[in-house]
């Protein structure tokens, strides 16, 4: 990474313009290619399954749910996997491989140690050997049956489900923890949910059976980290070093090395901060034009930076984010958060702008149109936000 003076200044207005274009919030940037949507954001948050569909739909020219399900479960061009910050994501294949080797493997090692420690506490004399045997049993069952729920696996392997593993303050059936660790290791993947698309309980499949080659050949960890930093900066740059470190869940040392390996250049930011851009991405961007989008809770755009003041005013933060930093459904206007929204029990979409926010009549009409599109997209489906915005009770009239 170059040191010395920043190559130029990138003000907040340009950062918002970059966000609007790169994150496909501008009408002319939208696409019905859901894999391109995921790739352009690096990945889609999947902690709440609804987020995946609504994040994609908000960036589609013709919003529908079917292309997302097809990409996840029929074509399998998208896959669901734990990665950065132990968060569940939906990736295209290339980014899944980068994230797995740059982030998930470290988390897998922690989870495996926790499982082995719990097995030891439970009286298992050889925890590592027990886990290896249990993993083989699970993988053999999945190879025989195909995608299978955790409950069905527990029933088919009673010697695992009958073993209780103490981990932290709780105790868990061993088969559920074995599945969790196998998932972090990339040996099993989440397949179709057990219910509708809003359900977060998934069937499990052996990685190589669900996707030929699974997560692909091993990638050197440092090379994978550089690759992940590169796609992050392409989508989220200019970002600070702390932004990248927080988003990826890395140490300071890993973050510094990744920025150096991609040749990131420094730019000055409003407020006196320093951001990083890729060396081939330092030119100013043009005006993207007006844009309005209603993004779901935990959308990658809302959650993409640690420092958010340049797109999140002080009046918006307490309305949108809970005390743990989880962002609820957000109204985005011209690259900044202007308010929040929620689906009411009757299916209507209620919206609320932040106090003192004047977005103009055209944007207000755009917000109403976007709310109507979501209502039509959801139809009879009703969902609860996994991490609701603090303002949600007000929007629900409670």
């Amino acid at each position: 990474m170059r040191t010395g003076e920043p190559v130029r200044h990138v003000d907040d207005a340009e950062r918002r313009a970059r966000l609007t274009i790169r994150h496909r919030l501008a009408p002319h940037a939208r696409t019905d290619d859901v894999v391109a949507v995921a790739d352009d954001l690096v990945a889609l948050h999947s902690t709440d399954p609804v987020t995946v569909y609504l994040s994609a739909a908000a960036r589609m020219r013709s919003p529908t749910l079917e292309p997302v399900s097809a990409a996840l479960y029929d074509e399998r061009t998208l896959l669901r996997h734990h990665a950065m910050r132990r968060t569940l994501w939906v990736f295209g294949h290339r980014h899944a491989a980068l994230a797995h080797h740059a982030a998930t493997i470290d988390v897998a090692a922690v989870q495996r140690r926790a499982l082995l420690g719990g097995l030891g506490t439970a009286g298992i004399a050889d925890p590592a050997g027990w886990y290896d045997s249990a993993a083989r049993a699970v993988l053999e069952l999945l190879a025989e049956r195909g995608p299978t729920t955790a409950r069905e696996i527990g029933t088919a392997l009673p010697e695992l489900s009958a073993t209780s593993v103490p981990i932290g303050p709780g105790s868990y059936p061993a088969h559920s923890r074995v599945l969790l660790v196998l998932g972090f290791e990339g040996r099993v993947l989440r397949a179709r949910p057990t219910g509708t698309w809003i359900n977060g309980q998934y069937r499990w499949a052996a990685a190589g059976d669900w996707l030929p080659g699974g997560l692909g050949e091993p990638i050197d960890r440092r090379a994978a980290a550089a690759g992940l930093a590169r796609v992050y900066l392409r989508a989220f740059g200019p970002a600070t070093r702390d932004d990248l470190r927080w988003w990826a869940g890395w140490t300071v040392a890993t973050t510094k090395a990744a920025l150096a390996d991609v040749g990131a250049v420094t730019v000055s930011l409003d407020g006196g901060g320093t951001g990083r851009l890729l060396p081939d991405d330092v030119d100013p961007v043009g005006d993207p034009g007006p844009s309005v989008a209603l993004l779901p809770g935990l959308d990658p755009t809302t959650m993409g930076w640690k420092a958010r003041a340049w797109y999140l005013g002080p009046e918006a933060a307490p309305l949108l984010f809970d005390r743990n930093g989880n962002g609820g459904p957000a109204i985005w206007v011209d690259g900044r958060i202007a308010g929040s929204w929620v689906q009411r029990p009757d299916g209507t979409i209620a919206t609320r702008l932040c106090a003192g926010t004047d977005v103009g009549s055209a944007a207000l009409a755009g917000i109403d149109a976007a709310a109507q599109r979501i209502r039509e997209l959801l139809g009879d489906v009703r969902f609860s936000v996994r991490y609701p915005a603090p303002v949600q009770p007000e929007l629900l009239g409670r």
Side-chain angles (χ1 to χ4, degrees), residues 13 79 95 137 143 152 193 196 216-217 220-221 286 324 364 378:
L79 60 90
H95 291 178
E152 292 166 341
T196 68
E217 295 297 319
D220 172 76
R221 186 183 185 283
N324 294 317
L364 287 174
L378 294 173

Side-chain angles (χ1 to χ4, degrees), residues 20 23-27 29-32 34 37 41 44 50-65 68 291-296 299-301 330 332 341 370 373-374 377:
T20 301
H23 291 206
R24 295 188 179 273
L25 301 186
R30 294 176 185 172
T31 177
D32 291 335
V34 296
V37 169
L41 294 162
L44 303 175
V50 175
T51 296
V52 177
Y53 288 82
L54 297 188
S55 289
R59 297 166 170 91
M60 296 172 71
R61 293 183 184 276
S62 303
T64 57
L65 302 174
V68 182
S291 66
V292 172
L294 269 59
L295 301 184
D299 184 87
T301 302
W332 283 78
W341 65 274
R373 285 195 297 272
I374 293 176
L377 181 76

